[in-house]
Amino acid sequence: MLEIISIKNSNNIWHLSKIMINPDHISIVAEASEVNSLFQEGKINIGLNSKVMFSRLSMRTVSGFQDIIAVGSPTEILEKINKTTKRLLKG
């Protein structure tokens, strides 16, 4: 399992939360450009460093796909996935 920090918008209030995901279910990791733009414009105020980037993770589910917005660039997320996968394979 992989722990990531996700960001959600509920009634125009942004929230951070830690979630655990199965890295085998990730189909796509891409830059969340719309969220990055809102963050850079100051429309998302959650107390993070101004250089933080966000990624969109598309997760396979039984009924299709679910998107999650994660804190971190696509490169950072992929590095975290690879580190977790290697650790699991080595036992």
Side-chain angles (χ1 to χ4, degrees), residues 70-86:
V71 176
S73 69
T75 303
E76 293 168 334
I77 300 295
L78 289 172
E79 286 173 356
K80 199 169 190 180
I81 292 168
N82 290 334
K83 183 190 272 186
T84 300
T85 305
K86 286 179 186 173

Side-chain angles (χ1 to χ4, degrees), residues 6 10-11 15 20 28 31-32 34 36 39 46 53 68 70 73 76 81 83 91:
S6 70
S10 176
N11 296 324
H15 301 278
M20 300 294 288
I28 298 169
E31 181 181 342
E34 65 284 346
N36 285 326
F39 185 69
I46 49 178
M53 291 186 65
I68 297 171
S73 69
E76 293 168 334
I81 292 168
K83 183 190 272 186

Side-chain angles (χ1 to χ4, degrees), residues 9-86:
N9 182 357
S10 176
N11 296 324
N12 292 324
I13 299 172
W14 292 87
H15 301 278
L16 293 172
S17 60
K18 287 184 183 179
I19 61 172
M20 300 294 288
I21 60 173
N22 183 339
D24 293 337
H25 293 192
I26 299 173
S27 297
I28 298 169
V29 178
E31 181 181 342
S33 54
E34 65 284 346
V35 178
N36 285 326
S37 294
L38 289 171
F39 185 69
Q40 292 303 317
E41 293 168 6
K43 296 180 180 175
I44 299 175
N45 187 8
I46 49 178
L48 295 176
N49 184 305
S50 63
K51 296 181 182 174
V52 166
M53 291 186 65
F54 299 93
S55 298
R56 180 176 307 278
L57 282 61
S58 290
M59 306 287 297
R60 285 184 307 244
T61 64
V62 174
S63 59
F65 290 91
Q66 175 186 0
D67 283 348
I68 297 171
I69 304 298
V71 176
S73 69
T75 303
E76 293 168 334
I77 300 295
L78 289 172
E79 286 173 356
K80 199 169 190 180
I81 292 168
N82 290 334
K83 183 190 272 186
T84 300
T85 305
K86 286 179 186 173

